[in-house]
Amino acid sequence: MNILVSGFQKELGDISCIHIGKNGPGSSYIVNGKPVSGAFGFQGEVGFNFYDEHRTFREIALEGYQNIDMIEYTGRLLLQIITVINPYKLYLYPLTDINIEKLQNYCLRYVPQEAMPQIILKKTYDKDYQYSLLSRGIHLLQAII
């Protein structure tokens, strides 16, 4: 996820990327123009956060998202990021199609409009990851030359 978000580094403002996959969600962030990384490289592991009092986001994913409203699941996940990082833009790579308007309305029940980031639905995770990986490789090569 850190490689993926680095592809958006040229954009202005704080940015978050969230990927919701079969093994659970992951996220990455650009804050003040730089990708964020924890003290031991552990960041964006939002799947370990609790969805409710019994399960984590990751546990729900590993159970195949059975009987889960994906608007609520994704909304709860986004709210954690919105309230902590408060990104300007939020790139969302969902597992399935999702209604952005319903997702925004869910989030707006808990955060004010002025704190709501622009949510951009993306369906190009692999392509964006490969682009970011290539860009990072070129940047590293240029530093050597």
Side-chain angles (χ1 to χ4, degrees):
M1 289 301 295
N2 282 338
I3 293 292
L4 178 70
V5 80
S6 70
F8 298 102
Q9 204 164 350
K10 293 179 182 177
E11 295 189 32
L12 299 175
D14 296 342
I15 296 170
S16 293
C17 289
I18 300 171
H19 177 254
I20 299 176
K22 293 177 184 174
N23 294 323
S27 61
S28 54
Y29 320 99
I30 292 177
V31 176
N32 296 324
K34 297 185 181 183
V36 173
S37 184
F40 301 100
F42 191 76
Q43 69 87 24
E45 301 298 334
V46 292
F48 294 114
N49 292 346
F50 280 96
Y51 172 80
D52 59 24
E53 63 273 7
H54 304 289
R55 302 169 295 176
T56 65
F57 284 94
R58 185 171 191 270
E59 288 171 333
I60 290 170
L62 294 175
E63 294 168 357
Y65 299 97
Q66 293 178 12
N67 303 316
I68 290 295
D69 177 341
M70 288 307 287
I71 293 291
E72 184 170 4
Y73 178 92
T74 307
R76 286 184 184 202
L77 185 62
L78 266 58
L79 285 167
Q80 291 183 30
I81 292 165
I82 291 167
T83 58
V84 173
I85 302 295
N86 191 225
Y88 175 71
K89 286 184 183 176
L90 199 152
Y91 291 97
L92 176 62
Y93 297 87
L95 184 62
T96 59
D97 287 334
I98 195 158
N99 184 308
I100 278 292
E101 188 176 327
K102 285 183 180 180
L103 183 58
Q104 287 175 325
N105 288 337
Y106 179 89
C107 292
L108 286 170
R109 291 176 20 203
Y110 303 99
V111 297
Q113 177 68 43
E114 56 271 11
M116 193 67 194
Q118 177 185 6
I119 300 174
I120 300 164
L121 191 62
K122 303 278 285 178
K123 296 182 181 185
T124 54
Y125 179 81
D126 290 336
K127 181 181 173 184
D128 291 350
Y129 176 76
Q130 289 171 1
Y131 168 80
S132 297
L133 191 59
L134 182 61
S135 296
R136 182 78 176 136
I138 290 170
H139 177 74
L140 291 172
L141 286 172
Q142 288 173 337
I144 294 171
I145 297 175

